[in-house]
């Protein structure tokens, strides 16, 4: 179970980027975004033993980030079952109807906007107006 963040048009960007510093800066900003989203998902994870929360991790590669877990029961917490609603935490309150990854994705718009602004700055260095 994972949230995937991909840069649209990544193939064209990779071909166009001859400056490894720019690609490195893009990946650094993507990594920051993924870590923020993973931390938000961890904070929103309902805790019994702490195993699920501790298992949430990020994997970063060129222009791609994955936030996920390998815990087998994560989909039941995220999406619910016929006997249990999806759930996440907001502060100390359990909220039903939305899992921790969905909550993290739905509450990351400000971080996504900052990421987009940083991408614009990085790309404008490569392609001046």
């Amino acid at each position: 179970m994972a949230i995937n963040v991909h840069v649209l048009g990544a193939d064209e960007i990779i071909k166009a980027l001859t400056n490894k510093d720019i690609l490195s800066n893009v990946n650094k900003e993507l990594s920051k975004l993924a870590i923020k989203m993973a931390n938000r998902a961890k904070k929103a994870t309902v805790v019994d033993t702490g195993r699920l929360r501790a298992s949430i991790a990020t994997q970063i590669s060129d222009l791609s980030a994955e936030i996920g877990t390998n815990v087998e029961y994560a989909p039941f917490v995220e999406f619910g079952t016929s006997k249990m609603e999806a759930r996440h935490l907001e502060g100390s309150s359990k909220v039903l109807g939305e899992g921790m990854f969905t909550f993290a994705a739905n509450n990351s718009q400000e971080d996504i906007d900052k990421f987009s602004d940083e991408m614009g700055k990085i790309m404008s260095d490569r392609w001046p107006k």
Side-chain angles (χ1 to χ4, degrees):
M1 145 162 266
I3 297 173
N4 292 304
V5 180
H6 296 281
V7 176
L8 296 178
D11 294 335
E12 292 81 10
I13 292 171
I14 290 171
K15 287 177 188 174
L17 292 177
T18 56
N19 184 334
K20 291 292 183 187
D21 290 336
I22 293 174
L23 184 58
S24 175
N25 287 336
V26 170
N27 285 327
K28 184 182 346 176
E29 293 301 322
L30 183 59
S31 179
K32 287 181 193 177
L33 175 61
I35 290 168
K36 285 179 183 179
M37 291 179 76
N39 288 340
R40 188 169 284 117
K42 286 180 181 183
K43 190 174 179 182
T45 301
V46 176
V47 176
D48 183 17
T49 65
R51 180 175 172 222
L52 178 57
R53 179 180 281 174
S55 73
I56 296 173
T58 60
Q59 287 188 319
I60 311 295
S61 60
D62 280 349
L63 301 179
S64 180
E66 184 175 290
I67 305 144
T69 178
N70 61 356
V71 173
E72 65 280 350
Y73 59 84
F76 305 125
V77 177
E78 177 68 18
F79 303 113
T81 69
S82 62
K83 297 180 182 184
M84 177 187 87
E85 277 193 74
R87 56 197 61 220
H88 73 275
L89 290 176
E90 288 185 38
S92 60
S93 301
K94 189 183 296 183
V95 179
L96 301 177
E98 182 179 66
M100 64 279 180
F101 289 114
T102 303
F103 174 80
N106 288 341
N107 289 278
S108 293
Q109 190 59 53
E110 185 176 322
D111 295 326
I112 293 167
D113 291 344
K114 286 179 185 176
F115 170 77
S116 179
D117 290 344
E118 286 302 314
M119 292 304 91
K121 290 175 189 173
I122 291 168
M123 293 305 152
S124 68
D125 290 343
R126 173 67 169 94
W127 292 289
K129 295 178 183 178

